[in-house]
């Protein structure tokens, strides 16, 4: 591929790139998809071994293919990777694996863009950045690398045996943090879990999974995060058949809950005085959804069995009411820290005018401020569900339809194409 040309270049061969390819193909739009590794590589190698999807198979999938498992099961990471690879093959997605895009620039004085890749150049009228939300692991600069403790991001964690002997501090209380902490404790490790602000939905309530409740209550369609936050951590698990995450249960298993990791000094890590508040706010979120679900059942006369016990919260454990404010790692024999602290986006290769002063994508529903450049797979791109398999499929359809509209302007012969925003 020393030099080639296409109408649409899609960068990324994960769920976003595959969804985009399906809709472009349905419109008959010439395109290629470049993937620097393999299809669904993040699911293959950037997840821990025992990971399963956080949503049941019937829900988080493309509309035209079901998972090869029971609809109520939670697919393993390998099943998700196989599903995406099968889907790409089924739709005939023109994916070229092992090709890294190192730069995309706007052509000067003529339409389109030039992409520099590890195998040559690509000329394209349009470019879709479909690299997804999990690009660059983030480790907060709290504990220095010279601290003498093994530090690893959840991106690189695979199983308890890869960590040195001793206790583990897990930082982050979203799905990754709570599941990794639980796995480590079940493997016999002494575990501390730093609990940050989070939402805590019920896994199942009144016979329905929480994804169903978010659907019927129109919460998947929310256009912006609560309080304008960029990301909302959700503590939910599909592990061991799926269960509601309750930090009281984790404490009863022997996990010591602590507040958000705050600072480091002289071998000690300090925690913010926010543990009780963070858990209380998660409980409020949990109970609020239960009340909304109850109101929906009553309003629509549904025969779903009541669960009054789900509204009753047990007393907070001692580690919450009298929390540790600091931890001497050596004294506590904590030899590892697992940072389940999320990701940031990395669009350093996309050298166009499509970003704000902080380097964040500047777009509306994926249509960027640079005409002809599109984003796909961003969190909250158009709705709460945008970064999920089913959500990215609908966002891809919107972008493909928009590209068809732009093609109609070109067919008319306009000298200047209309601005995207």
């Amino acid at each position: 591929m020393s030099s080639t040309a296409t109408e649409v270049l899609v960068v990324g061969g994960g769920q976003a790139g595959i969804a985009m390819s399906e809709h472009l193909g349905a419109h008959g739009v010439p395109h290629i998809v470049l993937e620097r590794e393999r299809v669904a590589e993040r699911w293959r190698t950037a997840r821990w071994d025992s990971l399963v999807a956080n949503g049941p198979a019937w829900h988080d999938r493309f509309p035209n293919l079901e998972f090869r498992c029971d609809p109520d099961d939670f697919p393993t990471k390998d099943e998700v990777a196989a599903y995406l690879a099968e889907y790409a093959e089924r739709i005939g997605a023109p994916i070229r694996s092992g090709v890294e895009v190192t730069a995309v620039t706007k052509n000067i004085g003529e339409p389109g863009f030039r992409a520099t890749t590890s195998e040559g150049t690509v000329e394209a009228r349009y470019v879709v950045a479909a690299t997804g939300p999990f690009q660059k692991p983030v480790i907060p600069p709290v504990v220095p690398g010279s601290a003498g403790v093994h530090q690893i991001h959840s991106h690189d964690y695979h199983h308890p045996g890869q960590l040195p002997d001793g206790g583990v501090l897990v930082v982050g209380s979203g799905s990754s943090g709570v599941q990794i902490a639980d796995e480590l404790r079940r493997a016999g490790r002494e575990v501390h879990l730093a609990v940050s602000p989070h939402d805590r939905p019920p896994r199942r309530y009144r016979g329905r999974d929480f994804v169903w409740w978010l659907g019927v209550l129109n919460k998947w369609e929310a256009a912006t995060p609560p309080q304008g936050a960029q990301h909302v951590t959700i503590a939910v698990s599909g592990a061991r058949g799926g269960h509601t995450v309750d930090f009281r249960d984790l404490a009863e298993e022997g996990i010591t809950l602590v507040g958000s990791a705050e600072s480091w000094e002289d071998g000690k890590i300090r925690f913010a005085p926010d543990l009780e508040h963070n858990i209380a706010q998660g409980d409020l979120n949990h109970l609020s959804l239960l009340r909304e679900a109850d109101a929906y059942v009553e309003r629509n006369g549904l025969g779903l069995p009541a669960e009054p016990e789900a509204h009753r919260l047990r007393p907070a454990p001692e580690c919450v009411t009298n929390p540790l404010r600091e931890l001497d790692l050596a004294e506590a024999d904590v030899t590892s820290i697992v940072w389940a602290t999320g990701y940031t986006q990395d669009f350093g290769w996309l050298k166009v005018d499509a970003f704000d002063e902080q380097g964040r994508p500047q777009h509306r529903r994926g249509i960027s401020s640079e005409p002809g450049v599109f984003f796909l797979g961003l969190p909250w791109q158009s709705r709460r569900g945008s970064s999920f398999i089913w959500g990215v499929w609908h966002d891809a359809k919107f972008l493909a339809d928009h590209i068809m509209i732009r093609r109609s302007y070109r067919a008319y012969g306009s000298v200047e194409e209309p601005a995207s925003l």
Side-chain angles (χ1 to χ4, degrees):
M1 197 181 73
S2 58
S3 181
T4 190
T6 188
E7 186 163 0
V8 182
L9 169 62
V10 180
V11 181
Q15 61 196 41
I18 294 168
M20 193 72 221
S21 181
E22 177 177 9
H23 292 297
L24 291 173
H27 283 302
V29 178
H31 66 285
I32 59 173
V33 181
L34 298 185
E35 165 55 48
R36 65 181 175 182
E37 296 174 285
R38 296 173 293 176
V39 170
E41 185 66 28
R42 295 290 186 178
W43 282 99
R44 300 174 192 273
T45 58
R47 305 287 192 270
W48 62 95
D49 295 351
S50 65
L51 176 74
V52 298
N54 284 327
W58 67 264
H59 182 257
D60 196 17
R61 62 176 179 84
F62 292 133
N64 301 316
L65 181 65
E66 296 181 357
F67 276 93
R68 298 179 182 276
C69 62
D70 187 284
D72 288 320
D73 284 350
F74 300 92
T76 67
K77 71 181 188 70
D78 293 330
E79 287 176 325
V80 174
Y83 173 89
L84 293 174
E86 178 183 353
Y87 201 87
E89 183 176 357
R90 174 175 292 208
I91 65 173
I95 298 176
R96 302 184 185 183
S97 298
V99 181
E100 182 177 6
V101 176
T102 56
V104 170
T105 56
K106 176 73 178 71
N107 292 333
I108 304 301
E110 60 180 318
F113 303 85
R114 168 170 289 192
T116 303
T117 82
S118 57
E119 294 191 3
T121 60
V122 178
E123 296 286 341
R125 170 74 68 159
Y126 308 112
V127 175
V128 180
T131 48
F134 306 120
Q135 297 174 23
K136 187 176 180 180
V138 172
I139 294 182
V142 176
V143 181
S146 59
V149 60
H150 181 74
Q151 300 187 61
I152 188 173
H153 192 273
S154 58
H155 173 92
D156 299 306
Y157 169 83
H158 295 290
H159 55 82
Q162 80 182 96
L163 302 181
D165 292 342
V168 185
L169 168 64
V170 179
V171 180
S173 54
S175 295
S176 296
V178 296
Q179 290 180 56
I180 291 172
D182 180 62
E183 177 176 84
L184 288 166
R185 182 58 189 152
R186 290 173 183 274
R189 300 298 188 101
E190 291 296 321
V191 178
H192 291 74
L193 174 62
V195 179
S196 51
H198 58 274
D199 282 355
R200 190 175 75 81
R203 174 75 271 173
R204 291 181 65 83
Y205 180 60
R206 302 189 71 158
R208 296 289 187 271
D209 194 273
F210 93 96
V211 300
W212 187 87
W213 287 114
L214 294 189
V216 300
L217 295 173
N218 288 326
K219 292 184 177 294
W220 287 121
E221 299 304 312
T224 57
Q227 290 96 40
Q230 291 298 311
H231 178 69
V232 179
T233 295
I234 298 180
V236 68
S237 177
R240 305 191 310 280
H243 60 276
T244 296
V245 171
D246 189 331
F247 290 93
R248 298 165 185 79
D249 294 335
L250 296 177
E252 287 180 4
E253 291 175 13
I255 295 175
T256 302
L257 308 177
V258 293
S260 303
E262 190 173 56
S263 62
W264 168 268
E265 185 177 1
D266 296 331
K268 299 177 182 178
I269 187 167
R270 289 189 59 81
F271 305 107
D274 61 357
L275 175 59
E276 194 165 14
H277 174 76
N278 291 342
I279 290 180
Q281 290 300 114
D283 289 342
L284 288 176
N285 168 261
H286 177 85
L287 295 173
S288 175
L289 185 58
L290 298 188
R291 288 192 296 269
E292 289 186 61
D294 289 342
Y296 182 86
V297 169
E298 182 176 355
R299 186 167 60 252
N300 292 280
L302 303 183
L304 299 178
E307 292 187 37
E309 67 281 0
H311 294 256
R312 303 187 185 104
L313 301 177
R314 304 194 308 279
E318 172 69 16
C319 63
V320 173
T321 57
N322 186 28
L324 287 174
R325 287 300 310 279
E326 68 176 25
L327 181 67
D328 185 316
L329 299 191
E331 186 178 290
D333 191 31
V334 173
T335 58
S336 302
I337 301 177
V338 178
W339 297 93
T341 43
Y343 297 77
T344 188
Q345 296 159 354
D346 183 5
F347 292 107
W349 54 272
L350 189 53
K351 304 180 185 302
V352 298
D353 187 19
F355 303 93
D356 63 17
E357 294 179 353
Q358 287 73 44
R360 297 171 300 195
Q362 193 166 271
H363 72 97
R364 292 180 182 169
R365 293 190 65 182
I367 302 171
S368 86
S369 54
E370 174 71 73
V373 172
F374 306 92
F375 295 100
L376 183 60
L378 300 178
W380 296 88
Q381 178 161 314
S382 68
R383 56 173 66 87
R384 183 176 190 166
S386 285
S387 55
F388 293 80
I389 295 175
W390 66 269
V392 81
W393 189 91
H394 291 284
D395 285 344
K397 183 179 187 305
F398 173 81
L399 293 183
D401 290 345
H402 181 79
I403 288 173
M404 293 303 294
I405 292 172
R406 294 187 65 86
R407 288 178 112 208
S408 71
Y409 284 110
R410 286 169 45 210
Y412 180 74
S414 298
V415 175
E416 295 183 1
E417 295 186 14
S420 294
L421 294 176

